[in-house]
Amino acid sequence: MKPLKYTFLILVTTLIMGTSFPVGKIGMMYAPPFLLMGLRYILAGALLAWIIRKRPMPVGWKQWMQIAVIGLFQSAGVMGCAYYSMNWISSGESAIITFTNPLLVIILSAALYGVSYRFSQWTGVVLGFVGVALTFGFHLSMSPGTWIGFGGAVSFAVSTLLIKRWGAAHDTFVLTAYQMLAGGAVLLLLSVFTEQPHFIVNTTSIVVLVWLTIFCSIIQFTLWFYLLQNTDPAKTSSFLFLAPLFGLLSSFFLLEEHVGWIVGAGGLMICLGIFLVNRHPASHKSVLDKPGLTQRTPAS
């Protein structure tokens, strides 16, 4: 992938990811978290599935099961945990924990698949995480929400590796649509058993749901899966450190939350961390890149 195209796509993707936190926080004023996320993914998945109904569908139960498992981790696991954790911790704390994903991706890649990373890359991941924490003022507390949020980060890392492992065998749009449907179904089921489902209908709640459905689901997931299928997952995941920074900036504009000079210092550390992670490729090829698979990507 050409550097300019890659940079543009990763910036757009992480910017959209960042907006999901303040927009979701607004949405939780009108619906509980599991219901809000479930509606988001069911609507997004159904709309995208109808749009791409003539594209190649998965072949056999094994490929459908792969999509369902990815949906369980990517849609239900990540955002379900992130939003549910906000019952105990702030949206900023939830963002910090969720976006420890790049560090977890490198750790899991090294431990499970034998990918070797340079010391500078490990340093870059740590610096990126410290930059995220600095941006939010290191306000982390140990509570049920902390562990639930960390569960979301683990889900994010697992789904990242699974998409890299299985994603090439699937059409990107089809994978995006049906993993959202699978994840959305799980979230709605959780809502029935753990919440008092309700949705207050007004202009704000509808705008929030449309934004979460179109931009933070269909566009975001399609771009994210495309990037993971065509690049090193650890390299691409390192840019996720930008998402909470964008989240804080969008919170400033949408929620009028205070942003101080420390955000600039955190942003510089994030940029330095990303530079170090991407300065060198991994030392040898990961078994995540399985030979013999025909890659399917969206039509240009």
Side-chain angles (χ1 to χ4, degrees):
M1 190 181 302
K2 294 182 179 179
L4 184 60
K5 177 182 177 181
Y6 178 78
T7 301
F8 174 75
L9 292 180
I10 203 70
L11 287 176
V12 170
T13 304
T14 52
L15 175 60
I16 295 174
M17 284 182 179
T19 65
S20 67
F21 282 88
V23 172
K25 185 175 181 180
I26 295 172
M28 287 173 63
M29 297 171 60
Y30 308 100
F34 288 150
L35 177 63
L36 181 63
M37 292 298 100
L39 289 174
R40 161 190 174 177
Y41 289 130
I42 289 294
L43 290 174
L47 177 60
L48 185 57
W50 181 80
I51 293 173
I52 52 91
R53 60 190 181 279
K54 295 184 179 180
R55 297 183 74 91
M57 292 291 116
V59 179
W61 68 267
K62 185 176 181 180
Q63 288 195 343
W64 283 109
M65 184 61 65
Q66 289 174 350
I67 290 177
V69 171
I70 289 173
L72 177 64
F73 284 103
Q74 180 68 55
S75 292
V78 178
M79 297 312 295
C81 287
Y83 279 74
Y84 193 61
S85 70
M86 293 183 203
N87 287 317
W88 292 272
I89 60 178
S90 70
S91 59
E93 290 175 314
S94 178
I96 293 172
I97 297 169
T98 300
F99 290 104
T100 56
N101 166 57
L103 177 58
L104 296 177
V105 168
I106 283 188
I107 291 173
L108 291 176
S109 295
L112 299 178
Y113 299 108
V115 182
S116 180
Y117 295 98
R118 297 172 183 265
F119 177 76
S120 62
Q121 291 175 298
W122 288 99
T123 302
V125 170
V126 174
L127 281 176
F129 173 67
V130 172
V132 170
L134 181 63
T135 298
F136 288 99
F138 290 97
H139 296 308
L140 283 173
S141 58
M142 300 307 293
S143 70
T146 305
W147 298 109
I148 293 171
F150 186 70
V154 173
S155 292
F156 208 158
V158 171
S159 67
T160 297
L161 297 180
L162 289 179
I163 292 163
K164 185 62 178 179
R165 182 72 178 267
W166 295 337
H170 299 274
D171 178 277
T172 302
F173 285 123
V174 172
L175 172 61
T176 301
Y178 287 97
Q179 70 84 23
M180 286 193 293
L181 284 173
V186 171
L187 288 167
L188 289 181
L189 189 63
L190 284 173
S191 178
V192 170
F193 288 102
T194 65
E195 301 174 332
Q196 295 181 343
H198 66 276
F199 187 87
I200 300 174
V201 179
N202 57 36
T203 301
T204 302
S205 64
I206 295 300
V207 170
V208 164
L209 188 58
V210 169
W211 179 269
L212 291 175
T213 299
I214 302 299
F215 291 93
C216 296
S217 298
I218 295 177
I219 295 176
Q220 173 191 302
F221 275 126
T222 300
L223 292 177
W224 179 243
F225 290 170
Y226 175 73
L227 287 166
L228 289 180
Q229 289 174 1
N230 290 277
T231 64
D232 172 30
K235 172 184 176 181
T236 296
S237 293
S238 70
F239 284 93
L240 288 177
F241 285 134
L242 288 172
L245 179 62
F246 286 139
L248 188 64
L249 293 175
S250 57
S251 294
F252 170 75
F253 290 106
L254 295 176
L255 303 175
E256 298 183 352
E257 294 182 354
H258 176 70
V259 177
W261 66 268
I262 200 169
V263 175
L268 288 176
M269 292 192 70
I270 291 170
C271 292
L272 178 59
I274 291 173
F275 170 76
L276 290 174
V277 169
N278 292 284
R279 187 179 181 185
H280 299 287
S283 295
H284 61 80
K285 186 176 181 180
S286 166
V287 297
L288 290 170
D289 298 310
K290 298 184 70 175
L293 291 177
T294 301
Q295 179 127 327
R296 300 177 183 175
T297 57
S300 55

